[in-house]
Every structure is written in structure tokens, then in C-alpha cells.
PDB file of all heavy atoms in Angstrom:
ATOM      1  N   LEU A   1      -4.831   3.347  -1.630  1.00 98.00           N
ATOM      2  CA  LEU A   1      -3.483   3.916  -1.743  1.00 98.00           C
ATOM      3  C   LEU A   1      -3.475   5.417  -1.997  1.00 98.00           C
ATOM      4  O   LEU A   1      -2.464   5.975  -2.417  1.00 98.00           O
ATOM      5  CB  LEU A   1      -2.649   3.198  -2.818  1.00 98.00           C
ATOM      6  CG  LEU A   1      -2.505   1.672  -2.642  1.00 98.00           C
ATOM      7  CD1 LEU A   1      -1.535   1.115  -3.678  1.00 98.00           C
ATOM      8  CD2 LEU A   1      -2.060   1.295  -1.239  1.00 98.00           C
ATOM      9  N   ARG A   2      -4.592   6.084  -1.709  1.00 98.00           N
ATOM     10  CA  ARG A   2      -4.618   7.549  -1.781  1.00 98.00           C
ATOM     11  C   ARG A   2      -3.983   8.137  -0.528  1.00 98.00           C
ATOM     12  O   ARG A   2      -4.237   7.663   0.577  1.00 98.00           O
ATOM     13  CB  ARG A   2      -6.052   8.059  -1.906  1.00 98.00           C
ATOM     14  CG  ARG A   2      -6.691   7.822  -3.247  1.00 98.00           C
ATOM     15  CD  ARG A   2      -8.153   8.278  -3.256  1.00 98.00           C
ATOM     16  NE  ARG A   2      -8.705   8.265  -4.603  1.00 98.00           N
ATOM     17  CZ  ARG A   2      -9.212   7.181  -5.193  1.00 98.00           C
ATOM     18  NH1 ARG A   2      -9.226   6.030  -4.529  1.00 98.00           N
ATOM     19  NH2 ARG A   2      -9.687   7.244  -6.424  1.00 98.00           N
ATOM     20  N   THR A   3      -3.198   9.190  -0.705  1.00 98.00           N
ATOM     21  CA  THR A   3      -2.603   9.895   0.422  1.00 98.00           C
ATOM     22  C   THR A   3      -3.564  10.974   0.915  1.00 98.00           C
ATOM     23  O   THR A   3      -4.683  11.109   0.419  1.00 98.00           O
ATOM     24  CB  THR A   3      -1.269  10.553   0.019  1.00 98.00           C
ATOM     25  OG1 THR A   3      -1.542  11.697  -0.795  1.00 98.00           O
ATOM     26  CG2 THR A   3      -0.363   9.575  -0.728  1.00 98.00           C
ATOM     27  N   SER A   4      -3.089  11.788   1.857  1.00 98.00           N
ATOM     28  CA  SER A   4      -3.917  12.867   2.401  1.00 98.00           C
ATOM     29  C   SER A   4      -4.042  14.056   1.449  1.00 98.00           C
ATOM     30  O   SER A   4      -4.855  14.952   1.682  1.00 98.00           O
ATOM     31  CB  SER A   4      -3.330  13.352   3.731  1.00 98.00           C
ATOM     32  OG  SER A   4      -1.993  13.811   3.565  1.00 98.00           O
ATOM     33  N   ALA A   5      -3.248  14.079   0.386  1.00 98.00           N
ATOM     34  CA  ALA A   5      -3.302  15.185  -0.584  1.00 98.00           C
ATOM     35  C   ALA A   5      -4.142  14.781  -1.790  1.00 98.00           C
ATOM     36  O   ALA A   5      -4.057  13.635  -2.257  1.00 98.00           O
ATOM     37  CB  ALA A   5      -1.905  15.581  -1.035  1.00 98.00           C
ATOM     38  N   PRO A   6      -4.934  15.686  -2.320  1.00 96.00           N
ATOM     39  CA  PRO A   6      -5.750  15.353  -3.489  1.00 96.00           C
ATOM     40  C   PRO A   6      -4.892  14.902  -4.670  1.00 96.00           C
ATOM     41  O   PRO A   6      -3.858  15.505  -4.967  1.00 96.00           O
ATOM     42  CB  PRO A   6      -6.457  16.678  -3.813  1.00 96.00           C
ATOM     43  CG  PRO A   6      -6.436  17.457  -2.540  1.00 96.00           C
ATOM     44  CD  PRO A   6      -5.153  17.071  -1.859  1.00 96.00           C
ATOM     45  N   ASP A   7      -5.303  13.799  -5.290  1.00 98.00           N
ATOM     46  CA  ASP A   7      -4.688  13.306  -6.525  1.00 98.00           C
ATOM     47  C   ASP A   7      -3.267  12.792  -6.343  1.00 98.00           C
ATOM     48  O   ASP A   7      -2.526  12.630  -7.318  1.00 98.00           O
ATOM     49  CB  ASP A   7      -4.706  14.393  -7.612  1.00 98.00           C
ATOM     50  CG  ASP A   7      -6.113  14.834  -7.951  1.00 98.00           C
ATOM     51  OD1 ASP A   7      -6.994  13.963  -8.058  1.00 98.00           O
ATOM     52  OD2 ASP A   7      -6.336  16.059  -8.072  1.00 98.00           O
ATOM     53  N   VAL A   8      -2.864  12.532  -5.095  1.00 98.00           N
ATOM     54  CA  VAL A   8      -1.531  11.990  -4.822  1.00 98.00           C
ATOM     55  C   VAL A   8      -1.687  10.605  -4.195  1.00 98.00           C
ATOM     56  O   VAL A   8      -2.427  10.438  -3.219  1.00 98.00           O
ATOM     57  CB  VAL A   8      -0.720  12.904  -3.886  1.00 98.00           C
ATOM     58  CG1 VAL A   8       0.667  12.303  -3.624  1.00 98.00           C
ATOM     59  CG2 VAL A   8      -0.582  14.302  -4.489  1.00 98.00           C
ATOM     60  N   PHE A   9      -0.976   9.623  -4.747  1.00 98.00           N
ATOM     61  CA  PHE A   9      -1.029   8.241  -4.291  1.00 98.00           C
ATOM     62  C   PHE A   9       0.381   7.800  -3.888  1.00 98.00           C
ATOM     63  O   PHE A   9       1.375   8.417  -4.275  1.00 98.00           O
ATOM     64  CB  PHE A   9      -1.549   7.329  -5.409  1.00 98.00           C
ATOM     65  CG  PHE A   9      -2.958   7.649  -5.844  1.00 98.00           C
ATOM     66  CD1 PHE A   9      -3.218   8.761  -6.651  1.00 98.00           C
ATOM     67  CD2 PHE A   9      -4.018   6.853  -5.462  1.00 98.00           C
ATOM     68  CE1 PHE A   9      -4.512   9.062  -7.053  1.00 98.00           C
ATOM     69  CE2 PHE A   9      -5.316   7.148  -5.858  1.00 98.00           C
ATOM     70  CZ  PHE A   9      -5.563   8.254  -6.657  1.00 98.00           C
ATOM     71  N   ALA A  10       0.461   6.725  -3.120  1.00 98.00           N
ATOM     72  CA  ALA A  10       1.761   6.154  -2.744  1.00 98.00           C
ATOM     73  C   ALA A  10       1.664   4.643  -2.785  1.00 98.00           C
ATOM     74  O   ALA A  10       0.625   4.064  -2.442  1.00 98.00           O
ATOM     75  CB  ALA A  10       2.184   6.626  -1.357  1.00 98.00           C
ATOM     76  N   ALA A  11       2.755   4.002  -3.212  1.00 98.00           N
ATOM     77  CA  ALA A  11       2.773   2.547  -3.325  1.00 98.00           C
ATOM     78  C   ALA A  11       4.157   2.019  -2.989  1.00 98.00           C
ATOM     79  O   ALA A  11       5.156   2.742  -3.055  1.00 98.00           O
ATOM     80  CB  ALA A  11       2.372   2.122  -4.741  1.00 98.00           C
ATOM     81  N   GLY A  12       4.208   0.731  -2.640  1.00 98.00           N
ATOM     82  CA  GLY A  12       5.477   0.084  -2.359  1.00 98.00           C
ATOM     83  C   GLY A  12       5.949   0.309  -0.941  1.00 98.00           C
ATOM     84  O   GLY A  12       5.148   0.435  -0.004  1.00 98.00           O
ATOM     85  N   ASP A  13       7.260   0.372  -0.759  1.00 98.00           N
ATOM     86  CA  ASP A  13       7.872   0.421   0.573  1.00 98.00           C
ATOM     87  C   ASP A  13       7.357   1.560   1.437  1.00 98.00           C
ATOM     88  O   ASP A  13       7.285   1.435   2.659  1.00 98.00           O
ATOM     89  CB  ASP A  13       9.394   0.580   0.448  1.00 98.00           C
ATOM     90  CG  ASP A  13      10.077  -0.659  -0.073  1.00 98.00           C
ATOM     91  OD1 ASP A  13       9.374  -1.604  -0.489  1.00 98.00           O
ATOM     92  OD2 ASP A  13      11.322  -0.693  -0.084  1.00 98.00           O
ATOM     93  N   ILE A  14       7.036   2.688   0.836  1.00 98.00           N
ATOM     94  CA  ILE A  14       6.692   3.868   1.635  1.00 98.00           C
ATOM     95  C   ILE A  14       5.234   3.889   2.068  1.00 98.00           C
ATOM     96  O   ILE A  14       4.858   4.680   2.944  1.00 98.00           O
ATOM     97  CB  ILE A  14       7.001   5.180   0.888  1.00 98.00           C
ATOM     98  CG1 ILE A  14       6.091   5.353  -0.342  1.00 98.00           C
ATOM     99  CG2 ILE A  14       8.474   5.257   0.508  1.00 98.00           C
ATOM    100  CD1 ILE A  14       6.176   6.736  -0.959  1.00 98.00           C
ATOM    101  N   ALA A  15       4.382   3.040   1.504  1.00 98.00           N
ATOM    102  CA  ALA A  15       2.944   3.132   1.732  1.00 98.00           C
ATOM    103  C   ALA A  15       2.541   2.444   3.031  1.00 98.00           C
ATOM    104  O   ALA A  15       2.670   1.225   3.166  1.00 98.00           O
ATOM    105  CB  ALA A  15       2.184   2.522   0.563  1.00 98.00           C
ATOM    106  N   ALA A  16       2.050   3.219   3.990  1.00 98.00           N
ATOM    107  CA  ALA A  16       1.457   2.674   5.218  1.00 98.00           C
ATOM    108  C   ALA A  16      -0.037   2.552   4.952  1.00 98.00           C
ATOM    109  O   ALA A  16      -0.799   3.506   5.086  1.00 98.00           O
ATOM    110  CB  ALA A  16       1.743   3.578   6.409  1.00 98.00           C
ATOM    111  N   HIS A  17      -0.443   1.366   4.581  1.00 97.00           N
ATOM    112  CA  HIS A  17      -1.720   1.096   3.936  1.00 97.00           C
ATOM    113  C   HIS A  17      -2.790   0.726   4.959  1.00 97.00           C
ATOM    114  O   HIS A  17      -2.579  -0.156   5.802  1.00 97.00           O
ATOM    115  CB  HIS A  17      -1.494  -0.056   2.942  1.00 97.00           C
ATOM    116  CG  HIS A  17      -2.722  -0.605   2.305  1.00 97.00           C
ATOM    117  ND1 HIS A  17      -2.900  -1.947   2.093  1.00 97.00           N
ATOM    118  CD2 HIS A  17      -3.836   0.000   1.829  1.00 97.00           C
ATOM    119  CE1 HIS A  17      -4.060  -2.145   1.513  1.00 97.00           C
ATOM    120  NE2 HIS A  17      -4.648  -0.977   1.336  1.00 97.00           N
ATOM    121  N   ASP A  18      -3.919   1.382   4.882  1.00 96.00           N
ATOM    122  CA  ASP A  18      -5.075   1.043   5.714  1.00 96.00           C
ATOM    123  C   ASP A  18      -5.717  -0.209   5.123  1.00 96.00           C
ATOM    124  O   ASP A  18      -6.681  -0.138   4.361  1.00 96.00           O
ATOM    125  CB  ASP A  18      -6.057   2.219   5.734  1.00 96.00           C
ATOM    126  CG  ASP A  18      -7.194   2.001   6.717  1.00 96.00           C
ATOM    127  OD1 ASP A  18      -7.140   1.024   7.491  1.00 96.00           O
ATOM    128  OD2 ASP A  18      -8.147   2.798   6.708  1.00 96.00           O
ATOM    129  N   HIS A  19      -5.152  -1.355   5.483  1.00 95.00           N
ATOM    130  CA  HIS A  19      -5.491  -2.633   4.841  1.00 95.00           C
ATOM    131  C   HIS A  19      -6.815  -3.165   5.385  1.00 95.00           C
ATOM    132  O   HIS A  19      -6.966  -3.330   6.593  1.00 95.00           O
ATOM    133  CB  HIS A  19      -4.372  -3.644   5.109  1.00 95.00           C
ATOM    134  CG  HIS A  19      -4.332  -4.789   4.151  1.00 95.00           C
ATOM    135  ND1 HIS A  19      -5.377  -5.668   3.995  1.00 95.00           N
ATOM    136  CD2 HIS A  19      -3.359  -5.205   3.295  1.00 95.00           C
ATOM    137  CE1 HIS A  19      -5.063  -6.576   3.090  1.00 95.00           C
ATOM    138  NE2 HIS A  19      -3.848  -6.311   2.644  1.00 95.00           N
ATOM    139  N   PRO A  20      -7.778  -3.475   4.519  1.00 92.00           N
ATOM    140  CA  PRO A  20      -9.079  -3.950   4.995  1.00 92.00           C
ATOM    141  C   PRO A  20      -9.005  -5.258   5.771  1.00 92.00           C
ATOM    142  O   PRO A  20      -9.908  -5.563   6.556  1.00 92.00           O
ATOM    143  CB  PRO A  20      -9.883  -4.143   3.693  1.00 92.00           C
ATOM    144  CG  PRO A  20      -9.202  -3.295   2.686  1.00 92.00           C
ATOM    145  CD  PRO A  20      -7.755  -3.295   3.059  1.00 92.00           C
ATOM    146  N   ARG A  21      -7.938  -6.038   5.576  1.00 89.00           N
ATOM    147  CA  ARG A  21      -7.867  -7.361   6.185  1.00 89.00           C
ATOM    148  C   ARG A  21      -7.191  -7.359   7.561  1.00 89.00           C
ATOM    149  O   ARG A  21      -7.275  -8.337   8.296  1.00 89.00           O
ATOM    150  CB  ARG A  21      -7.106  -8.302   5.237  1.00 89.00           C
ATOM    151  CG  ARG A  21      -7.158  -9.765   5.635  1.00 89.00           C
ATOM    152  CD  ARG A  21      -6.611 -10.626   4.524  1.00 89.00           C
ATOM    153  NE  ARG A  21      -7.570 -10.686   3.420  1.00 89.00           N
ATOM    154  CZ  ARG A  21      -7.229 -10.749   2.144  1.00 89.00           C
ATOM    155  NH1 ARG A  21      -5.961 -10.724   1.791  1.00 89.00           N
ATOM    156  NH2 ARG A  21      -8.152 -10.817   1.207  1.00 89.00           N
ATOM    157  N   TYR A  22      -6.537  -6.269   7.913  1.00 91.00           N
ATOM    158  CA  TYR A  22      -5.758  -6.250   9.143  1.00 91.00           C
ATOM    159  C   TYR A  22      -6.162  -5.084  10.033  1.00 91.00           C
ATOM    160  O   TYR A  22      -6.776  -4.114   9.577  1.00 91.00           O
ATOM    161  CB  TYR A  22      -4.260  -6.172   8.824  1.00 91.00           C
ATOM    162  CG  TYR A  22      -3.776  -7.354   8.022  1.00 91.00           C
ATOM    163  CD1 TYR A  22      -3.551  -7.234   6.642  1.00 91.00           C
ATOM    164  CD2 TYR A  22      -3.588  -8.589   8.615  1.00 91.00           C
ATOM    165  CE1 TYR A  22      -3.140  -8.316   5.902  1.00 91.00           C
ATOM    166  CE2 TYR A  22      -3.169  -9.682   7.874  1.00 91.00           C
ATOM    167  CZ  TYR A  22      -2.951  -9.540   6.517  1.00 91.00           C
ATOM    168  OH  TYR A  22      -2.552 -10.629   5.778  1.00 91.00           O
ATOM    169  N   ASP A  23      -5.801  -5.206  11.299  1.00 84.00           N
ATOM    170  CA  ASP A  23      -6.049  -4.126  12.242  1.00 84.00           C
ATOM    171  C   ASP A  23      -4.943  -3.088  12.101  1.00 84.00           C
ATOM    172  O   ASP A  23      -3.770  -3.381  12.311  1.00 84.00           O
ATOM    173  CB  ASP A  23      -6.068  -4.664  13.680  1.00 84.00           C
ATOM    174  CG  ASP A  23      -7.140  -5.716  13.878  1.00 84.00           C
ATOM    175  OD1 ASP A  23      -8.204  -5.588  13.243  1.00 84.00           O
ATOM    176  OD2 ASP A  23      -6.912  -6.673  14.652  1.00 84.00           O
ATOM    177  N   GLY A  24      -5.314  -1.862  11.762  1.00 86.00           N
ATOM    178  CA  GLY A  24      -4.317  -0.810  11.623  1.00 86.00           C
ATOM    179  C   GLY A  24      -3.658  -0.841  10.260  1.00 86.00           C
ATOM    180  O   GLY A  24      -4.047  -1.566   9.339  1.00 86.00           O
ATOM    181  N   ARG A  25      -2.616  -0.042  10.138  1.00 95.00           N
ATOM    182  CA  ARG A  25      -1.925   0.101   8.863  1.00 95.00           C
ATOM    183  C   ARG A  25      -0.863  -0.975   8.671  1.00 95.00           C
ATOM    184  O   ARG A  25      -0.310  -1.494   9.635  1.00 95.00           O
ATOM    185  CB  ARG A  25      -1.275   1.489   8.772  1.00 95.00           C
ATOM    186  CG  ARG A  25      -2.294   2.626   8.785  1.00 95.00           C
ATOM    187  CD  ARG A  25      -1.613   3.973   8.570  1.00 95.00           C
ATOM    188  NE  ARG A  25      -2.597   5.042   8.614  1.00 95.00           N
ATOM    189  CZ  ARG A  25      -3.360   5.403   7.588  1.00 95.00           C
ATOM    190  NH1 ARG A  25      -3.219   4.781   6.422  1.00 95.00           N
ATOM    191  NH2 ARG A  25      -4.243   6.377   7.711  1.00 95.00           N
ATOM    192  N   VAL A  26      -0.592  -1.267   7.426  1.00 95.00           N
ATOM    193  CA  VAL A  26       0.399  -2.275   7.056  1.00 95.00           C
ATOM    194  C   VAL A  26       1.392  -1.630   6.098  1.00 95.00           C
ATOM    195  O   VAL A  26       1.000  -1.020   5.094  1.00 95.00           O
ATOM    196  CB  VAL A  26      -0.268  -3.490   6.380  1.00 95.00           C
ATOM    197  CG1 VAL A  26       0.793  -4.465   5.873  1.00 95.00           C
ATOM    198  CG2 VAL A  26      -1.216  -4.189   7.339  1.00 95.00           C
ATOM    199  N   ARG A  27       2.674  -1.740   6.413  1.00 97.00           N
ATOM    200  CA  ARG A  27       3.724  -1.272   5.508  1.00 97.00           C
ATOM    201  C   ARG A  27       4.672  -2.425   5.265  1.00 97.00           C
ATOM    202  O   ARG A  27       5.234  -2.984   6.203  1.00 97.00           O
ATOM    203  CB  ARG A  27       4.468  -0.063   6.089  1.00 97.00           C
ATOM    204  CG  ARG A  27       5.370   0.619   5.046  1.00 97.00           C
ATOM    205  CD  ARG A  27       6.045   1.851   5.624  1.00 97.00           C
ATOM    206  NE  ARG A  27       7.027   1.512   6.623  1.00 97.00           N
ATOM    207  CZ  ARG A  27       8.270   1.100   6.349  1.00 97.00           C
ATOM    208  NH1 ARG A  27       8.678   0.974   5.092  1.00 97.00           N
ATOM    209  NH2 ARG A  27       9.099   0.822   7.329  1.00 97.00           N
ATOM    210  N   VAL A  28       4.844  -2.811   4.022  1.00 95.00           N
ATOM    211  CA  VAL A  28       5.594  -4.017   3.667  1.00 95.00           C
ATOM    212  C   VAL A  28       6.726  -3.658   2.719  1.00 95.00           C
ATOM    213  O   VAL A  28       6.500  -2.988   1.704  1.00 95.00           O
ATOM    214  CB  VAL A  28       4.673  -5.070   3.015  1.00 95.00           C
ATOM    215  CG1 VAL A  28       5.472  -6.309   2.627  1.00 95.00           C
ATOM    216  CG2 VAL A  28       3.533  -5.440   3.956  1.00 95.00           C
ATOM    217  N   GLU A  29       7.932  -4.133   3.018  1.00 95.00           N
ATOM    218  CA  GLU A  29       9.105  -3.850   2.186  1.00 95.00           C
ATOM    219  C   GLU A  29       9.537  -5.115   1.439  1.00 95.00           C
ATOM    220  O   GLU A  29      10.652  -5.592   1.612  1.00 95.00           O
ATOM    221  CB  GLU A  29      10.257  -3.332   3.050  1.00 95.00           C
ATOM    222  CG  GLU A  29       9.976  -1.990   3.711  1.00 95.00           C
ATOM    223  CD  GLU A  29      11.119  -1.533   4.601  1.00 95.00           C
ATOM    224  OE1 GLU A  29      12.114  -2.277   4.735  1.00 95.00           O
ATOM    225  OE2 GLU A  29      11.013  -0.437   5.176  1.00 95.00           O
ATOM    226  N   HIS A  30       8.664  -5.640   0.624  1.00 93.00           N
ATOM    227  CA  HIS A  30       8.996  -6.852  -0.117  1.00 93.00           C
ATOM    228  C   HIS A  30       8.621  -6.703  -1.582  1.00 93.00           C
ATOM    229  O   HIS A  30       7.737  -5.932  -1.949  1.00 93.00           O
ATOM    230  CB  HIS A  30       8.286  -8.074   0.485  1.00 93.00           C
ATOM    231  CG  HIS A  30       8.835  -8.485   1.817  1.00 93.00           C
ATOM    232  ND1 HIS A  30      10.129  -8.929   1.986  1.00 93.00           N
ATOM    233  CD2 HIS A  30       8.263  -8.493   3.052  1.00 93.00           C
ATOM    234  CE1 HIS A  30      10.330  -9.204   3.267  1.00 93.00           C
ATOM    235  NE2 HIS A  30       9.218  -8.942   3.920  1.00 93.00           N
ATOM    236  N   TRP A  31       9.290  -7.526  -2.387  1.00 94.00           N
ATOM    237  CA  TRP A  31       9.149  -7.511  -3.837  1.00 94.00           C
ATOM    238  C   TRP A  31       7.695  -7.638  -4.280  1.00 94.00           C
ATOM    239  O   TRP A  31       7.214  -6.859  -5.110  1.00 94.00           O
ATOM    240  CB  TRP A  31       9.995  -8.657  -4.395  1.00 94.00           C
ATOM    241  CG  TRP A  31       9.628  -9.150  -5.741  1.00 94.00           C
ATOM    242  CD1 TRP A  31      10.024  -8.630  -6.944  1.00 94.00           C
ATOM    243  CD2 TRP A  31       8.786 -10.264  -6.061  1.00 94.00           C
ATOM    244  NE1 TRP A  31       9.491  -9.362  -7.983  1.00 94.00           N
ATOM    245  CE2 TRP A  31       8.730 -10.369  -7.469  1.00 94.00           C
ATOM    246  CE3 TRP A  31       8.084 -11.194  -5.293  1.00 94.00           C
ATOM    247  CZ2 TRP A  31       7.994 -11.359  -8.117  1.00 94.00           C
ATOM    248  CZ3 TRP A  31       7.351 -12.177  -5.934  1.00 94.00           C
ATOM    249  CH2 TRP A  31       7.310 -12.246  -7.325  1.00 94.00           C
ATOM    250  N   ALA A  32       6.972  -8.618  -3.740  1.00 96.00           N
ATOM    251  CA  ALA A  32       5.610  -8.863  -4.202  1.00 96.00           C
ATOM    252  C   ALA A  32       4.702  -7.675  -3.903  1.00 96.00           C
ATOM    253  O   ALA A  32       3.835  -7.329  -4.714  1.00 96.00           O
ATOM    254  CB  ALA A  32       5.050 -10.132  -3.561  1.00 96.00           C
ATOM    255  N   ASN A  33       4.895  -7.051  -2.751  1.00 97.00           N
ATOM    256  CA  ASN A  33       4.064  -5.907  -2.400  1.00 97.00           C
ATOM    257  C   ASN A  33       4.278  -4.750  -3.376  1.00 97.00           C
ATOM    258  O   ASN A  33       3.321  -4.107  -3.818  1.00 97.00           O
ATOM    259  CB  ASN A  33       4.385  -5.449  -0.978  1.00 97.00           C
ATOM    260  CG  ASN A  33       3.458  -4.351  -0.508  1.00 97.00           C
ATOM    261  OD1 ASN A  33       2.271  -4.564  -0.316  1.00 97.00           O
ATOM    262  ND2 ASN A  33       4.013  -3.161  -0.318  1.00 97.00           N
ATOM    263  N   ALA A  34       5.535  -4.485  -3.722  1.00 97.00           N
ATOM    264  CA  ALA A  34       5.819  -3.415  -4.682  1.00 97.00           C
ATOM    265  C   ALA A  34       5.190  -3.723  -6.039  1.00 97.00           C
ATOM    266  O   ALA A  34       4.557  -2.861  -6.665  1.00 97.00           O
ATOM    267  CB  ALA A  34       7.320  -3.221  -4.821  1.00 97.00           C
ATOM    268  N   LYS A  35       5.341  -4.948  -6.491  1.00 98.00           N
ATOM    269  CA  LYS A  35       4.793  -5.324  -7.796  1.00 98.00           C
ATOM    270  C   LYS A  35       3.269  -5.264  -7.795  1.00 98.00           C
ATOM    271  O   LYS A  35       2.654  -4.688  -8.702  1.00 98.00           O
ATOM    272  CB  LYS A  35       5.269  -6.731  -8.166  1.00 98.00           C
ATOM    273  CG  LYS A  35       4.787  -7.203  -9.525  1.00 98.00           C
ATOM    274  CD  LYS A  35       5.381  -8.560  -9.868  1.00 98.00           C
ATOM    275  CE  LYS A  35       4.952  -9.002 -11.256  1.00 98.00           C
ATOM    276  NZ  LYS A  35       5.560 -10.313 -11.634  1.00 98.00           N
ATOM    277  N   GLU A  36       2.650  -5.866  -6.785  1.00 98.00           N
ATOM    278  CA  GLU A  36       1.190  -5.936  -6.756  1.00 98.00           C
ATOM    279  C   GLU A  36       0.563  -4.557  -6.542  1.00 98.00           C
ATOM    280  O   GLU A  36      -0.427  -4.212  -7.186  1.00 98.00           O
ATOM    281  CB  GLU A  36       0.741  -6.905  -5.663  1.00 98.00           C
ATOM    282  CG  GLU A  36       1.190  -8.340  -5.866  1.00 98.00           C
ATOM    283  CD  GLU A  36       0.450  -9.037  -6.993  1.00 98.00           C
ATOM    284  OE1 GLU A  36      -0.451  -8.425  -7.591  1.00 98.00           O
ATOM    285  OE2 GLU A  36       0.780 -10.196  -7.289  1.00 98.00           O
ATOM    286  N   GLN A  37       1.117  -3.769  -5.621  1.00 98.00           N
ATOM    287  CA  GLN A  37       0.566  -2.435  -5.408  1.00 98.00           C
ATOM    288  C   GLN A  37       0.784  -1.548  -6.629  1.00 98.00           C
ATOM    289  O   GLN A  37      -0.090  -0.744  -6.986  1.00 98.00           O
ATOM    290  CB  GLN A  37       1.176  -1.788  -4.164  1.00 98.00           C
ATOM    291  CG  GLN A  37       0.638  -2.330  -2.860  1.00 98.00           C
ATOM    292  CD  GLN A  37       1.024  -1.487  -1.668  1.00 98.00           C
ATOM    293  OE1 GLN A  37       1.846  -0.577  -1.757  1.00 98.00           O
ATOM    294  NE2 GLN A  37       0.432  -1.791  -0.521  1.00 98.00           N
ATOM    295  N   GLY A  38       1.936  -1.687  -7.267  1.00 98.00           N
ATOM    296  CA  GLY A  38       2.182  -0.892  -8.464  1.00 98.00           C
ATOM    297  C   GLY A  38       1.181  -1.204  -9.561  1.00 98.00           C
ATOM    298  O   GLY A  38       0.634  -0.297 -10.211  1.00 98.00           O
ATOM    299  N   THR A  39       0.925  -2.490  -9.784  1.00 98.00           N
ATOM    300  CA  THR A  39      -0.049  -2.885 -10.798  1.00 98.00           C
ATOM    301  C   THR A  39      -1.450  -2.421 -10.409  1.00 98.00           C
ATOM    302  O   THR A  39      -2.205  -1.886 -11.230  1.00 98.00           O
ATOM    303  CB  THR A  39      -0.021  -4.410 -10.978  1.00 98.00           C
ATOM    304  OG1 THR A  39       1.300  -4.809 -11.373  1.00 98.00           O
ATOM    305  CG2 THR A  39      -1.019  -4.853 -12.021  1.00 98.00           C
ATOM    306  N   TYR A  40      -1.789  -2.613  -9.138  1.00 98.00           N
ATOM    307  CA  TYR A  40      -3.121  -2.252  -8.655  1.00 98.00           C
ATOM    308  C   TYR A  40      -3.402  -0.756  -8.764  1.00 98.00           C
ATOM    309  O   TYR A  40      -4.498  -0.340  -9.166  1.00 98.00           O
ATOM    310  CB  TYR A  40      -3.270  -2.693  -7.194  1.00 98.00           C
ATOM    311  CG  TYR A  40      -4.335  -1.927  -6.451  1.00 98.00           C
ATOM    312  CD1 TYR A  40      -5.675  -2.308  -6.514  1.00 98.00           C
ATOM    313  CD2 TYR A  40      -4.006  -0.788  -5.715  1.00 98.00           C
ATOM    314  CE1 TYR A  40      -6.659  -1.575  -5.857  1.00 98.00           C
ATOM    315  CE2 TYR A  40      -4.983  -0.057  -5.054  1.00 98.00           C
ATOM    316  CZ  TYR A  40      -6.307  -0.452  -5.130  1.00 98.00           C
ATOM    317  OH  TYR A  40      -7.270   0.276  -4.493  1.00 98.00           O
TER     318      TYR A  40
END
């Protein structure tokens, strides 16, 4: 969840995540994703 800028991260709806399990980036606008990414 690191962005292209040093020391800046993004989580939740706005994060286009380079997900290890999927091909390409994943951006999810759901409750569980916000909660889990925020905790992580």
C-alpha cells in the first residue's frame, strides 16, 4: 500500500493495489476492504 511518493501510503476506496493474488491492480469499494486495509 505504498504510493509513488516516499513515506506516503493509501488505503480503502482510493487504493489501486498491486495485489499478489490477481493479475494487475485491484481497487475495491467495500466495507471489508476499508477495514482490513486500514488495520493492515
Side-chain angles (χ1 to χ4, degrees):
L1 304 186
R2 287 176 170 84
T3 74
S4 58
D7 300 318
V8 180
F9 298 76
D13 289 8
I14 67 169
H17 172 220
D18 187 8
H19 201 300
R21 190 170 287 145
Y22 299 102
D23 300 326
R25 296 185 181 278
V26 174
R27 192 177 69 80
V28 179
E29 295 178 358
H30 289 297
W31 158 84
N33 186 67
K35 182 176 183 178
E36 297 288 357
Q37 284 192 350
T39 301
Y40 157 85

